[in-house]
Amino acid sequence: MTTPISSVSATPTLTPTPAAAGGGDGGLRKAAEAFEAVILRQLMSSMRQAKLADDIFGSSATDNFREMADARTADSLAAMRQFGIADMVERQFRGQLGGLAAGRAGGGVQ
């Protein structure tokens, strides 16, 4: 007979912090980096479309591979935070979240 999972006593787990659970500062940072990655993917896609001549060995498989490689490159570049897009987005939303928190603490807008 098997024991149901709910009745098995496991070691106590730590409660995740809001940042680790995808909320708080960690969630905002991840969202800002993801937005920067989307912008960089679009930039790279536009650069690829502006090619001067057709590829000699071009095929749909090559195009698919380049798209995947570009997406991975954009994710890596966004994680490095060298373009500043994620920092600006994070700063803007952090200011808005700070205003919301102040509004809630002060009783809200009347």
Side-chain angles (χ1 to χ4, degrees):
M1 185 82 159
T2 59
T3 307
I5 294 175
S6 60
S7 67
V8 174
S9 64
T11 58
T13 59
L14 298 174
T15 306
T17 62
D25 293 338
L28 181 59
R29 177 178 286 276
K30 282 183 181 180
E33 285 180 9
F35 180 75
E36 183 170 350
V38 168
I39 297 295
L40 292 174
R41 280 186 202 130
Q42 292 294 323
L43 178 69
M44 294 173 83
S45 174
S46 294
M47 290 190 301
R48 290 265 186 222
Q49 289 176 357
K51 57 187 173 187
L52 299 175
D54 288 331
D55 193 9
I56 296 172
F57 302 109
S59 69
S60 63
T62 304
D63 293 339
N64 288 337
F65 178 75
R66 280 192 183 134
E67 287 177 19
M68 289 188 300
D70 287 349
R72 183 74 170 171
T73 303
D75 290 340
S76 297
L77 288 172
M80 292 171 35
R81 300 177 76 103
Q82 293 294 312
F83 287 88
I85 298 169
D87 293 329
M88 288 187 288
V89 169
E90 187 176 359
R91 193 175 323 126
Q92 181 177 358
F93 281 108
R94 190 174 308 282
Q96 289 180 356
L97 289 174
L100 284 174
R104 287 182 185 163
V109 178
Q110 297 189 14

